[in-house]
């Protein structure tokens, strides 16, 4: 590996790529050169194949998303400086939603008690479903949560639950690309 010392040289400043048998790259503000890498002769591992397939799936989703004007606009609004709607759609496909908070403080086991959820993703998720199970594991109720404000969702209980202690709340969030995340909270 060679370092280019004279960084003021306009011919070499910020050069990246391959010229002949030399490859140039910029690392920590320094332009470096190294021999051109040849083709890999080993077959890819199972993990590498899985990564390649996922990359293809994410790219296919992003292409489909930007082909639809409404979806493209939604992703374009979520883009930061230097990003395209395609970049944001790709990231959305690659990252499942997160459920960092399940708030059961207003749930006392009565009908119409509210459970709130914070669900984060690249863009707002498509849906959030809730299952409430007794301490013994029997399903008491299930249903769709409603979007509140921003990334918050809420669910109104439809069944009375006299034994709240030990109740399990299972939350499932599904985003636009179809990624699914589940979280559980025990009261």
């Amino acid at each position: 590996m060679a370092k280019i010392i004279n960084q003021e040289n306009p011919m070499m400043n910020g050069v990246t790529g391959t010229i002949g048998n030399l490859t140039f790259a910029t690392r920590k503000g320094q332009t470096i050169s190294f021999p051109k890498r040849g083709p890999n002769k080993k077959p890819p591992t199972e993990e590498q194949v899985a990564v390649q397939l996922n990359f293809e799936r994410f790219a296919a989703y992003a292409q489909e998303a930007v082909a639809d004007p409404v979806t493209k606009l939604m992703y374009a609004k979520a883009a930061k400086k230097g990003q395209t709607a395609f970049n944001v759609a790709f990231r959305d496909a690659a990252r499942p939603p997160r459920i960092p908070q399940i708030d059961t403080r207003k749930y006392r086991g009565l009908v119409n008690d509210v459970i709130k959820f914070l669900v984060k993703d690249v863009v707002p998720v498509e849906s959030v479903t809730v299952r409430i199970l007794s301490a013994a594991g029997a399903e008491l109720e299930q249903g769709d949560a409603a979007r509140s404000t921003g990334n918050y969702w809420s669910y109104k209980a439809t069944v009375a639950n006299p034994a709240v202690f030990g109740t399990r709340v299972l939350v499932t969030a599904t985003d636009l690309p179809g990624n699914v995340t589940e979280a559980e909270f025990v009261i």
Side-chain angles (χ1 to χ4, degrees):
M1 174 175 58
K3 289 185 183 179
I4 310 239
I5 296 181
N6 185 3
Q7 291 292 324
E8 285 105 34
N9 181 347
M11 293 292 290
M12 300 307 290
N13 191 20
V15 170
T16 59
T18 301
I19 302 172
N21 288 331
L22 283 178
T23 299
F24 295 92
T26 303
R27 302 281 188 264
K28 297 183 181 178
Q30 287 278 320
T31 303
I32 58 172
S33 68
F34 44 91
K36 179 180 175 183
R37 182 173 183 254
N40 193 350
K41 293 180 174 119
K42 288 195 254 179
T45 65
E46 286 182 26
E47 288 128 4
Q48 289 170 327
V49 170
V51 167
Q52 291 168 356
L53 292 174
N54 278 337
F55 188 92
E56 290 172 8
R57 185 172 54 88
F58 303 153
Y61 171 77
Q63 286 175 334
E64 184 181 316
V66 298
D68 176 37
V70 175
T71 308
K72 181 178 181 176
L73 181 62
M74 176 186 61
Y75 282 121
K77 285 182 180 179
K80 295 177 182 165
K81 186 178 178 181
Q83 288 184 323
T84 65
F86 181 91
N87 298 137
V88 179
F90 186 97
R91 187 177 63 197
D92 194 26
R95 293 184 181 174
R98 295 178 294 119
I99 307 169
Q101 181 183 20
I102 300 174
D103 182 2
T104 60
R105 289 178 292 179
K106 294 185 179 178
Y107 180 73
R108 303 281 183 252
L110 303 174
V111 174
N112 291 326
D113 282 355
V114 176
I115 302 172
K116 290 189 176 187
F117 320 95
L118 174 61
V119 182
K120 293 188 157 208
D121 200 17
V122 175
V123 295
V125 295
E126 189 75 7
S127 66
V128 176
T129 58
V130 179
R131 289 178 59 211
I132 299 177
L133 294 104
S134 70
E139 184 173 297
L140 301 173
E141 64 179 297
Q142 75 172 16
D144 294 328
R147 188 182 312 271
S148 296
T149 55
N151 292 323
Y152 284 94
W153 292 71
S154 61
Y155 178 78
K156 277 190 179 180
T158 59
V159 175
N161 178 10
V164 175
F165 184 74
T167 297
R168 293 176 29 214
V169 178
L170 303 173
V171 181
T172 304
T174 307
D175 67 3
L176 204 56
N179 296 318
V180 177
T181 298
E182 295 179 344
E184 179 179 344
F185 184 79
V186 179
I187 300 174

Coordinates of all heavy atoms in Angstrom, one line a residue, residues 107-111 113 132-141 159-169 185-187:
Y107 N -53.8 0.5 31.7 CA -54.6 -0.7 31.5 C -54.8 -1.4 32.9 O -53.8 -1.7 33.6 CB -53.8 -1.7 30.6 CG -54.5 -3.0 30.4 CD1 -55.7 -3.1 29.6 CD2 -54.1 -4.2 31.0 CE1 -56.3 -4.3 29.4 CE2 -54.7 -5.4 30.8 CZ -55.8 -5.5 30.0 OH -56.5 -6.7 29.9
R108 N -56.0 -1.4 33.3 CA -56.4 -2.0 34.6 C -57.3 -3.3 34.5 O -57.8 -3.7 35.4 CB -57.1 -1.0 35.5 CG -56.4 0.3 35.7 CD -55.4 0.1 36.8 NE -54.7 1.4 37.1 CZ -53.4 1.6 36.7 NH1 -52.7 0.8 36.1 NH2 -52.9 2.8 37.0
G109 N -57.4 -3.7 33.2 CA -58.2 -4.9 33.0 C -59.6 -4.6 32.7 O -60.5 -5.5 32.6
L110 N -60.0 -3.4 32.5 CA -61.4 -3.0 32.2 C -61.5 -2.7 30.7 O -60.6 -2.4 29.9 CB -61.7 -1.7 32.9 CG -61.6 -1.8 34.4 CD1 -61.8 -0.4 35.1 CD2 -62.5 -2.8 35.0
V111 N -62.8 -2.9 30.2 CA -63.1 -2.6 28.8 C -62.8 -1.1 28.5 O -63.1 -0.3 29.4 CB -64.6 -2.9 28.5 CG1 -65.0 -2.5 27.1 CG2 -64.8 -4.4 28.7
D113 N -59.9 0.3 28.5 CA -58.6 0.7 28.9 C -57.6 0.8 27.8 O -57.8 0.0 26.8 CB -58.0 -0.3 30.0 CG -58.7 -0.1 31.4 OD1 -59.5 0.9 31.5 OD2 -58.4 -0.9 32.3
I132 N -53.6 -10.0 23.9 CA -53.6 -10.0 25.3 C -53.8 -11.4 25.8 O -54.9 -12.0 25.5 CB -54.5 -8.9 25.9 CG1 -54.2 -7.5 25.4 CG2 -54.5 -9.0 27.4 CD1 -55.2 -6.5 25.9
L133 N -52.9 -11.9 26.6 CA -53.0 -13.3 27.1 C -53.0 -13.2 28.6 O -52.3 -12.4 29.2 CB -51.8 -14.1 26.6 CG -51.8 -14.4 25.1 CD1 -50.7 -13.5 24.5 CD2 -51.5 -15.8 24.9
S134 N -53.8 -14.1 29.2 CA -53.8 -14.3 30.7 C -52.5 -14.8 31.2 O -51.6 -15.2 30.4 CB -54.9 -15.2 31.1 OG -54.6 -16.5 30.7
A135 N -52.3 -14.8 32.5 CA -51.1 -15.3 33.1 C -50.9 -16.7 32.8 O -49.8 -17.2 32.7 CB -51.1 -15.0 34.6
A136 N -52.0 -17.5 32.6 CA -51.9 -18.9 32.3 C -51.6 -19.1 30.8 O -51.4 -20.3 30.4 CB -53.2 -19.6 32.6
G137 N -51.7 -18.1 30.0 CA -51.4 -18.2 28.5 C -52.6 -18.3 27.6 O -52.5 -18.4 26.4
A138 N -53.8 -18.2 28.2 CA -55.0 -18.2 27.4 C -55.2 -16.8 26.7 O -55.0 -15.8 27.4 CB -56.2 -18.5 28.2
E139 N -55.6 -16.9 25.4 CA -55.8 -15.6 24.7 C -57.1 -15.0 25.2 O -58.1 -15.6 25.1 CB -55.8 -15.8 23.2 CG -55.9 -14.5 22.5 CD -55.8 -14.7 21.0 OE1 -54.7 -15.1 20.5 OE2 -56.8 -14.4 20.3
L140 N -57.0 -13.7 25.7 CA -58.2 -13.0 26.1 C -58.8 -12.2 25.0 O -60.0 -12.1 24.9 CB -57.8 -12.1 27.3 CG -57.2 -12.8 28.5 CD1 -56.8 -11.7 29.5 CD2 -58.3 -13.7 29.2
E141 N -57.9 -11.6 24.2 CA -58.4 -10.8 23.1 C -57.3 -10.5 22.1 O -56.1 -10.6 22.5 CB -59.1 -9.5 23.5 CG -58.1 -8.5 24.2 CD -58.8 -7.2 24.6 OE1 -59.3 -6.5 23.7 OE2 -58.9 -7.0 25.8
V159 N -62.2 -6.6 26.2 CA -62.6 -7.7 27.1 C -62.1 -7.4 28.5 O -61.0 -6.9 28.6 CB -62.1 -9.1 26.6 CG1 -62.4 -10.2 27.6 CG2 -62.6 -9.4 25.2
A160 N -63.0 -7.6 29.5 CA -62.6 -7.4 30.9 C -61.6 -8.5 31.3 O -61.7 -9.6 30.9 CB -63.8 -7.4 31.8
N161 N -60.6 -8.1 32.1 CA -59.5 -9.0 32.5 C -59.4 -8.8 34.0 O -58.7 -7.9 34.5 CB -58.2 -8.7 31.8 CG -57.1 -9.6 32.2 OD1 -57.3 -10.5 33.0 ND2 -55.9 -9.2 31.8
P162 N -60.1 -9.6 34.8 CA -60.1 -9.4 36.3 C -58.7 -9.7 36.9 O -58.4 -9.2 38.0 CB -61.1 -10.4 36.8 CG -61.3 -11.4 35.7 CD -61.0 -10.8 34.4
A163 N -57.9 -10.6 36.3 CA -56.6 -10.9 36.9 C -55.5 -10.3 36.0 O -54.9 -10.9 35.2 CB -56.4 -12.4 36.9
V164 N -55.2 -9.0 36.3 CA -54.3 -8.2 35.4 C -52.8 -8.7 35.7 O -52.0 -8.8 34.7 CB -54.4 -6.7 35.7 CG1 -53.4 -6.0 34.9 CG2 -55.8 -6.3 35.3
F165 N -52.5 -9.0 36.9 CA -51.1 -9.3 37.3 C -50.7 -10.6 36.5 O -51.4 -11.6 36.5 CB -50.9 -9.6 38.8 CG -49.5 -9.8 39.2 CD1 -48.6 -8.8 39.2 CD2 -49.1 -11.1 39.5 CE1 -47.3 -9.1 39.6 CE2 -47.8 -11.4 39.9 CZ -46.9 -10.3 39.9
G166 N -49.6 -10.5 35.8 CA -49.1 -11.6 35.0 C -49.6 -11.6 33.5 O -49.2 -12.5 32.8
T167 N -50.5 -10.7 33.2 CA -51.0 -10.6 31.9 C -49.9 -10.3 30.9 O -49.1 -9.5 31.2 CB -52.1 -9.5 31.8 OG1 -53.2 -9.9 32.6 CG2 -52.6 -9.4 30.4
R168 N -49.9 -11.0 29.7 CA -48.9 -10.7 28.7 C -49.5 -9.9 27.5 O -50.6 -10.3 27.1 CB -48.3 -12.0 28.2 CG -47.5 -12.7 29.3 CD -47.0 -14.1 28.9 NE -46.7 -14.3 27.5 CZ -46.9 -15.4 26.8 NH1 -47.3 -16.5 27.5 NH2 -46.6 -15.5 25.5
V169 N -48.8 -8.9 27.1 CA -49.3 -8.1 26.0 C -48.2 -8.4 24.9 O -47.1 -8.1 25.0 CB -49.3 -6.6 26.3 CG1 -49.7 -5.8 25.1 CG2 -50.2 -6.3 27.5
F185 N -44.7 -7.7 26.6 CA -44.6 -7.0 27.9 C -45.5 -7.8 28.9 O -46.6 -8.1 28.6 CB -45.1 -5.6 27.8 CG -44.9 -4.8 29.1 CD1 -43.7 -4.3 29.4 CD2 -46.0 -4.6 29.9 CE1 -43.5 -3.6 30.6 CE2 -45.8 -3.9 31.1 CZ -44.6 -3.4 31.4
V186 N -44.9 -8.1 30.1 CA -45.7 -8.8 31.1 C -46.0 -7.8 32.2 O -45.1 -7.1 32.7 CB -44.9 -10.0 31.7 CG1 -45.7 -10.7 32.8 CG2 -44.5 -10.9 30.6
I187 N -47.3 -7.7 32.5 CA -47.8 -6.7 33.5 C -47.6 -7.3 34.9 O -47.8 -8.4 35.2 CB -49.3 -6.4 33.3 CG1 -49.4 -5.8 31.9 CG2 -49.8 -5.5 34.4 CD1 -50.9 -5.5 31.5

